[in-house]
Amino acid sequence: MAMVSEAKMNGAPGAPAEVLPALAEHPAGLPPGEYSLVGWDMDTTGRRLIDEICQIAAYTPKQTYSQYIMPYGDLNPGARRRHNVRVVTVGRYRMLKDTITHKILKTKSEISALTDFLDWLEKEKGDGSVILIYHEPRRLSPTMLLEALTRYKLLDRFKSIVAGFADSYALAADKCKTTVKSVSLRMLARVLLDADSLSVDSALDRATAAYRIVEHLAQGNYECEQQEVGAGGEGTSKDMVETARLWARPVHTELEALANLKKLLERQNTFRPVFAPLLRLANPERKRVTQLRRLLADGGFLYDTLKEAWQEQQVAGLEKQLSSLQVSANENDIKELIEIFDCHFDPAKEPKAPRPRPTNKVRSSSSAGEAEGSSSESQKTSAHNSPNKTNNEAPAELSQQSEGEN
């Protein structure tokens, strides 16, 4: 277990917590102190706050932790394919089954597994605190973990053990931006760790890979080249902890991001009268609906605000309200939103559905109307199961969907 004592802060100011931060945003870091590093990841039944954990895993060079969890609900189609597990019924009992080996997995309840995980972390932290290292382009895993811990009243204990989260994706995106085109776990395993056969399918595999990537990038001058991992001995171990400390976000920062996400979802839910019927449309209209709804939520709008604006001045009122979206949305987005809301508020007009847009302007006319993709479960399945995608390289569906949607 790597430990470090007082070290010099780099003094980089921290950006305010955001629901969807820049991919390689440099966080504020943690204060000097003694820290233990633990690679960590988890699999979930979906990518919404109400979804459950189905595996949680952690890695250190000396110890590992891995536990499957029996969820109350089923995994959505995308999650089943990403994690290679599904819920089956044997007699009167629900069980978790590995779809590759066809074996029934030994599981615990979510609260039991989280309690065991905290027990394991407490042994690993020694005299200091733990920094959890994970790898993903968006901060979904910390958000979902903190939500689960809050649900079972385990958050205070977690905060007494864990100081923060360090994202190896952001670190690699910053250090390797001139040498690699992708900082996915598979690519970094080949380029940095010289491990073509390294698996990243399970939560434990990804926890191990995330730890080893930070271990590698902490050596020397952060060269994004192949070299022997762990070649620096004790000095490298201290460098690794220092690197993780400077790239970590404190737990309270992730809690702020969780609170911001909940506020955003609340704003999104106010638009249910408008968008709920549209979310039942086929692809690619559904994706367009989620994009437009997200623009409104990010802009701080509420359904009642736009309703009042339309009742006072109709289209002119909508134009005046939505003009503030010009910073984050283009002219076509605003025009489409005005059209949708005007038709929604005016019973004499036929409801308008969003217009899908082609992904490639150079496509032939026969394919110009093909879908860009969808935030529906069927699209998530194909996106997440691309051979170059790992579990944590998915888009941030968590912040694009409201908690109450299926």
Side-chain angles (χ1 to χ4, degrees):
M1 192 183 344
M3 305 289 290
V4 72
S5 56
E6 290 288 318
K8 194 166 64 175
M9 286 283 283
N10 73 341
E18 297 176 356
V19 173
L20 293 176
L23 297 187
E25 173 195 356
H26 199 309
L30 295 171
E34 293 190 356
Y35 298 104
S36 301
L37 302 188
V38 175
W40 160 79
D41 211 319
M42 65 183 194
D43 293 334
T44 55
T45 59
R47 310 295 282 177
R48 301 172 301 168
L49 287 181
I50 59 174
D51 287 311
E52 304 166 81
I53 303 170
C54 57
Q55 186 191 9
I56 188 165
Y59 167 87
T60 70
K62 294 183 179 180
Q63 300 287 338
T64 62
Y65 175 87
S66 179
Q67 179 61 58
Y68 284 97
I69 295 169
M70 188 66 232
Y72 286 102
D74 293 340
L75 284 75
N76 68 36
R80 286 199 297 269
R81 298 189 185 186
R82 284 195 306 273
H83 311 327
N84 298 319
V85 295
R86 66 188 182 96
V87 175
V88 297
T89 301
V90 180
R92 294 184 299 172
Y93 300 98
R94 297 172 73 254
M95 300 179 181
L96 205 60
K97 183 179 182 179
D98 189 312
T99 58
I100 303 297
T101 65
H102 304 292
K103 293 181 178 179
I104 299 297
L105 300 169
K106 186 177 180 180
T107 61
K108 289 186 175 183
S109 66
E110 193 173 49
I111 186 172
S112 295
L114 288 172
T115 301
D116 289 348
F117 179 54
L118 294 182
D119 291 340
W120 186 88
L121 286 177
E122 202 154 34
K123 294 176 183 177
E124 293 298 315
K125 80 182 187 74
D127 296 328
S129 299
V130 169
I131 298 175
L132 293 179
I133 299 172
Y134 68 106
H135 189 98
E136 66 174 48
R138 302 293 184 187
R139 291 151 59 184
L140 301 185
S141 293
T143 300
M144 297 187 75
L145 176 64
L146 293 172
E147 177 68 8
L149 292 165
T150 302
R151 191 158 57 236
Y152 297 113
K153 296 180 172 53
L154 295 172
L155 184 59
D156 288 340
R157 186 183 176 197
F158 178 81
K159 290 192 292 185
S160 70
I161 299 170
V162 176
F165 298 86
D167 186 2
S168 61
Y169 184 99
L171 174 63
D174 181 74
K175 304 302 179 185
C176 305
K177 57 190 174 186
T178 60
T179 54
V180 295
K181 294 182 179 179
S182 168
V183 289
S184 69
L185 277 177
R186 293 185 193 278
M187 177 63 74
L188 293 176
R190 290 196 296 268
V191 175
L192 301 185
L193 309 179
D194 194 19
D196 290 334
S197 61
L198 181 67
S199 172
V200 291
D201 293 333
S202 75
L204 182 57
D205 294 335
R206 295 190 301 276
T208 303
Y211 183 98
R212 293 182 61 195
I213 286 168
V214 174
E215 184 179 28
H216 176 95
L217 292 176
Q219 298 179 47
N221 295 318
Y222 307 102
E223 295 179 356
C224 203
E225 301 173 355
Q226 292 181 358
Q227 64 186 57
E228 183 182 354
V229 176
E234 182 63 26
T236 300
S237 180
K238 291 181 179 179
D239 289 342
M240 179 183 177
V241 177
E242 183 67 0
T243 299
R245 180 181 74 80
L246 295 177
W247 277 86
R249 289 184 177 87
V251 172
H252 69 80
T253 299
E254 299 302 324
L255 287 170
E256 290 171 6
L258 174 59
N260 290 338
L261 175 57
K262 288 182 176 180
K263 291 178 182 177
L264 181 142
L265 294 176
E266 289 174 2
R267 291 197 297 271
Q268 283 191 168
N269 279 335
T270 68
F271 295 107
R272 181 173 288 277
V274 180
F275 293 113
L278 301 178
L279 287 167
R280 292 193 287 268
L281 295 171
N283 300 337
E285 289 89 348
R286 182 185 171 101
K287 180 182 179 181
R288 184 66 179 146
V289 169
T290 26
Q291 289 172 340
L292 293 173
R293 185 184 61 177
R294 177 60 191 269
L295 283 173
L296 292 171
D298 282 340
F301 289 100
L302 299 173
Y303 176 83
D304 289 343
T305 304
L306 296 181
K307 184 177 180 180
E308 289 174 8
W310 185 87
Q311 289 173 339
E312 290 177 4
Q313 296 179 295
Q314 297 193 342
V315 172
L318 292 174
E319 290 175 345
K320 183 178 180 180
Q321 283 288 331
L322 296 176
S323 62
S324 61
L325 285 177
Q326 291 176 352
V327 176
S328 57
N330 59 44
E331 185 178 341
N332 289 331
D333 293 332
I334 297 174
K335 183 178 179 182
E336 197 165 355
L337 282 168
I338 291 172
E339 211 171 64
I340 291 172
F341 277 90
D342 183 42
C343 293
H344 169 76
F345 292 130
D346 190 344
K349 295 182 179 179
E350 183 180 350
K352 291 282 186 180
R355 296 180 293 273
R357 297 180 182 179
T359 54
N360 194 337
K361 293 182 180 179
V362 299
R363 287 185 179 181
S364 65
S365 58
S366 62
S367 62
E370 290 181 0
E372 292 181 69
S374 168
S375 61
S376 67
E377 296 303 338
S378 59
Q379 185 271 345
K380 292 176 202 171
T381 300
S382 60
H384 286 302
N385 286 282
S386 166
N388 294 322
K389 291 258 185 184
T390 67
N391 171 47
N392 284 329
E393 295 161 18
E397 296 97 336
L398 218 174
S399 55
Q400 292 179 348
Q401 301 180 41
S402 66
E403 296 182 42
E405 288 176 15
N406 294 321

